[in-house]
Amino acid sequence: MSGRCKTCNQPIMWATTAAGKAIPLDVEPVPDGNLVLDGGTARVADMFSPPGPRWRSHFATCVDADIHRRNRRR
């Protein structure tokens, strides 16, 4: 699923983490991305990941990322 970031208006695509949570990704893969897509699931790339495109979480590039962060209580 794709769309645009609500605050910076950049194009994003949505994936799901292994924990079942939604994560926004930048649309274009990047050589230094730390995520691979396995179906619709975003997984952290490691030395065992197959070669191929890598993505970056939009939280890493969004100029308004702090607006989207939740205050987590322990």
Side-chain angles (χ1 to χ4, degrees), residues 13-50:
M13 65 180 185
W14 290 94
T16 305
T17 66
K21 297 188 179 207
I23 183 171
L25 305 176
D26 289 338
V27 173
E28 295 296 321
V30 290
D32 63 340
N34 66 333
L35 298 168
V36 293
L37 290 179
D38 180 7
T41 303
R43 301 186 188 281
V44 175
D46 60 20
M47 60 190 236
F48 302 108
S49 299

Side-chain angles (χ1 to χ4, degrees), residues 47-64:
M47 60 190 236
F48 302 108
S49 299
R54 309 258 171 139
W55 281 267
R56 185 179 301 143
S57 168
H58 184 63
F59 290 124
T61 60
C62 182
V63 295
D64 298 319

